[in-house]
Structure formats: structure tokens, C-alpha cells
Amino acid sequence: TQHLIEPGMSYDYSNYTQFGIKDATERYVYAGWMTFVITCSLLGDTTILVASIRYKAFRLHRTVVTFIQHNAICDLLNSVVSLLPVVISVFYNSGGSSSILNTARFFTMYYVNTASPAHIAAMTFGKLLLLKYPLRARSWSKRQAHRVSMGIWMFSLCVPTFHLLVDKDDVTFDYRVYFCMYKYSKSAWIILLPALSVILIFLPNVIITLSVALLLREGRKIVKEAQKNLRWQGIITVVLSAVVSVSSCLPMTIYFIAEPFVEKDPLEPGPFYIKFYRVAMTALTLNVLANFFVYCLTVESFKRFIQSKLRRRARILSHKLLCKGSPAEDET
């Protein structure tokens, strides 16, 4: 959703001559990074889901674990429906010719990118409530958390649907990022877009930031007033996830704040509209990449689960190698 604030685009971003990546090395580096993110997400987020659902490897409050699971689903969908098409387009250096496929890619990307920050906001705010009202939190169930997540998914579905209802033909392939974007050509977006941006971008990030600040404050308050140790594991996990989410949005936020004040040359777009925008969009993938590593660092039970599985695989591999080598040793 971070790319929703660009009404009345004066450039034709589907023009490869002006906005495409001409240098093959730069194009392959861009595709290589996206492939790396996709690989880490497919392996990492699948591990998160299996570890949390089958092995109960996250020793955190059940509502926090539920939001972690839904966020992992967001990242997996993001990798498959958003980043993988980018890699294909970059390698072929083309956006394809199917308008139906391009519309579907736009729809799924806007859907997932609306749900992801909303789940992070729900997780941080939920953790704050867990810390502030621990007695009430004992009765909170996974089913309630799943209902909240279901509400987020349903609301997020309205966002791309609303765009297509306004103008379903206003989707274009953007060679700056090799993906399908919305042009916001209709005059109605002059009023609708700021309101939509506040709801979808500003509000979730404000909730995340305020929740993190209040969460840390509440934790220190409990330790100071109650004179007791506090389990910081869940707090640190939520805080780091929130920091990664907000930080990954900062370059794009800078772009949208500065964009109205940067001069547009219709004949020769400057590096701000091409290079900086591409870097800012690439920074958003850090949120897809980082969660697995955040949980490995902060959730001790998940870390032990990963270590035990790796040790088991190493023992199996070493045993197979020894078995293959034993006949040769017997012959000698």
C-alpha cells in the first residue's frame, strides 16, 4: 500500500525507453535480490508456520503467535504474487501483453500489501493490551485473534476492489519496478486518495509506532513499580518486527513527501523518479525478508527448534555419507 499516493502521474511509466533498466548487470542484480528475498521467504515463512502450528515452537502468548502466523502468510503471498512476477518480468525485460493478468497482479499485490502492515499493527497493539491488562488477557483465545485477522483480510479485500470499481482500466506496467501499478488518472482520486492513504498507510504506521513506544514504557513501568523481572522476549520480538516494518516504509514515505516538490522534466526524468523510487520500493522487501531472522534472534524456543532440526539433518547426512563410504573401506 505504500505506493498508493501518486495521483495525476505526468510520466508514462510503461515507457521502457525512459524508465526501463538498460544495463543488463543492474537488471540481473535487481532480479537476484528479489530471488534471494523470495527464497528466504518461502523457506523462512513456511518454517514459521510449520513450527508454530505443528510443533508449537513459539512460547509466546497465543494471540501474538496467531498474528505471527497471519503475517507469515502475508509474506508468502507477497513473495509468490508480487515478487516472483517481478523476477520474471526483469529476466524477460517485459511486462507482458495480457491486461487481465496485469490487473490480477495489481489486485493481489494491493490486497496483500494492505493486509501486512495491518497485521503488524494488530500484533503490536495486542501485545500492548496483553501487558497492560494481564488478567483479562488470560481469557483471550486463538479463535478471537483469528477473527481479528479475518476482519483484516476482509477489509483489505475492499482496497483493490475499490480501485477497480473507480477505473478498472487504469492499471499500467511500471518499468521503474517491473510491476503493475495504478495510475490514479481520474479526478475523483484528488479527494479519495488522501483519505484512503490516511486509512491504509498513515494510521497503521501511527498505531505501530505509538504501540511500540507505549509497550516499552509499560514494560519499564512494571519492572520499576512491581520490583520484579519481566519476560522481555515477547516484547522484543514484537518491537523488532514493528521496527523492521516501519523502517522498510521510510524511503517510500520520503519519496511521497518530496515528490510534489521535485521538478518533473517531461523529456528526461531525473534519478529521483527512477533510481530513488526503485530503491524505495526495493526497501519494502526487507519486511518480507526479515521476520524469520527476527524470530530466530528473539524467540528462544523457536531458535532451539531450528537448532534441533539442523542437528538432526546433519546427523542424517553424516550417517548417509558414512554408509556410502563403508563399502569402499571394506574392499581396501
Side-chain angles (χ1 to χ4, degrees), residues 110-219:
Y110 272 51
Y111 179 40
V112 174
N113 285 344
T114 302
S116 182
H119 276 102
I120 296 291
M123 183 173 67
T124 52
F125 185 67
K127 183 60 181 177
L128 175 63
L129 295 179
L130 289 172
L131 195 63
K132 198 170 183 63
Y133 306 106
L135 296 179
R136 295 183 184 179
R138 293 177 183 176
S139 63
W140 295 353
S141 65
K142 288 193 298 183
R143 179 174 294 182
Q144 289 174 314
H146 279 301
R147 286 175 179 172
V148 173
S149 290
M150 185 58 64
I152 291 173
W153 285 110
M154 294 300 293
F155 174 77
S156 301
L157 189 62
C158 298
V159 175
T161 303
F162 182 71
H163 281 73
L164 296 182
L165 287 175
V166 173
D167 189 354
K168 64 181 179 61
D169 298 320
D170 210 19
V171 179
T172 185
F173 186 81
D174 190 337
Y175 269 107
R176 295 178 298 174
V177 289
Y178 282 76
F179 204 82
C180 301
M181 312 295 277
Y182 201 81
K183 292 189 291 185
Y184 299 99
S185 301
K186 294 286 186 180
S187 58
W189 286 111
I190 297 175
I191 299 174
L192 293 175
L193 195 54
L196 196 63
S197 301
V198 169
I199 296 172
L200 301 180
I201 302 174
F202 181 75
L203 189 59
N205 283 294
V206 167
I207 292 174
I208 292 170
T209 304
L210 290 179
S211 295
V212 166
L214 293 173
L215 192 59
L216 294 173
R217 178 185 175 186
E218 192 67 23

Side-chain angles (χ1 to χ4, degrees), residues 2 71 116-118 120-121 124 201-213 238-254 280 283-284 286-288 290-291:
Q2 285 76 14
N71 199 45
S116 182
I120 296 291
T124 52
I201 302 174
F202 181 75
L203 189 59
N205 283 294
V206 167
I207 292 174
I208 292 170
T209 304
L210 290 179
S211 295
V212 166
V238 170
V239 167
L240 281 182
S241 299
V243 168
V244 170
S245 177
V246 174
S247 299
S248 66
C249 300
L250 284 178
M252 189 56 66
T253 303
I254 293 171
L284 296 175
L286 293 175
N287 192 39
V288 179
N291 285 329

